[in-house]
Amino acid sequence: QVQLVESGGGLVQPGGSLTLSCAASGSIFSMGWYRQGPGKQRELVAVISRAGSTVYADSVKGRFTISRDNAKNTVYLQMNSLKPEDTAVYYCSAGYLLQSVASWGQGTQVTVSS
C-alpha cells in the first residue's frame, strides 16, 4: 500500500489560485484528489491515470487542472478562480482503477475567504 504525503493547502481569497501536491511512496495506476467540506460527504474532485486520462467533477471543470509526474510519483492540483464553496479538506488518493481508492493522504485544508 502506497503512502501519500500532501502539501500546499492554505487560506486564499475568492478568485485566487492555489496548487496542491501529493507525493506517493511508489508507482500506482491512478492518483487524484477528493474533498470534504463542512457538513458534507467526501466527493471526487479530479483523478488521473498513469497515462494521463482524467475525470473531473462538474463543479471544478474549467477552473482546476490535475497533472502528474510519473517519474516523481507526484500528482498536482492547480486550482484557479477559487470560490468560497471550494473550502474543504482536500485528500490525495491513489488506486488501482481510475476512480478506485486504495490509499488516502492525511488531508490538507483549503479555505477560500476574504
Side-chain angles (χ1 to χ4, degrees):
Q1 190 170 3
V2 297
Q3 304 299 312
L4 303 171
V5 179
E6 302 145 339
S7 61
L11 173 64
V12 62
Q13 292 186 343
S17 298
L18 206 58
T19 301
L20 305 181
S21 301
C22 173
S25 59
S27 179
I28 194 163
F29 178 77
S30 74
M31 297 185 73
W33 296 92
Y34 288 70
R35 68 185 181 187
Q36 188 166 12
K40 297 181 180 180
Q41 291 187 331
R42 193 173 298 189
E43 63 179 0
L44 170 74
V45 177
V47 291
I48 185 168
S49 72
R50 192 181 289 121
S53 297
T54 58
V55 175
Y56 288 93
D58 287 343
S59 59
V60 307
K61 284 181 181 177
R63 299 189 298 123
F64 292 10
T65 302
I66 190 169
S67 61
R68 178 171 177 167
D69 185 334
N70 291 328
K72 296 181 179 179
N73 295 323
T74 299
V75 65
Y76 306 95
L77 186 68
Q78 174 67 43
M79 303 184 291
N80 299 325
S81 303
L82 282 160
K83 304 175 181 179
E85 50 263 44
D86 295 316
T87 295
V89 178
Y90 284 69
Y91 295 91
C92 181
S93 69
Y96 299 102
L97 298 172
L98 189 56
Q99 296 190 59
S100 71
V101 179
S103 299
W104 292 105
Q106 79 279 8
T108 185
Q109 178 71 46
V110 172
T111 302
V112 184
S113 175
S114 55

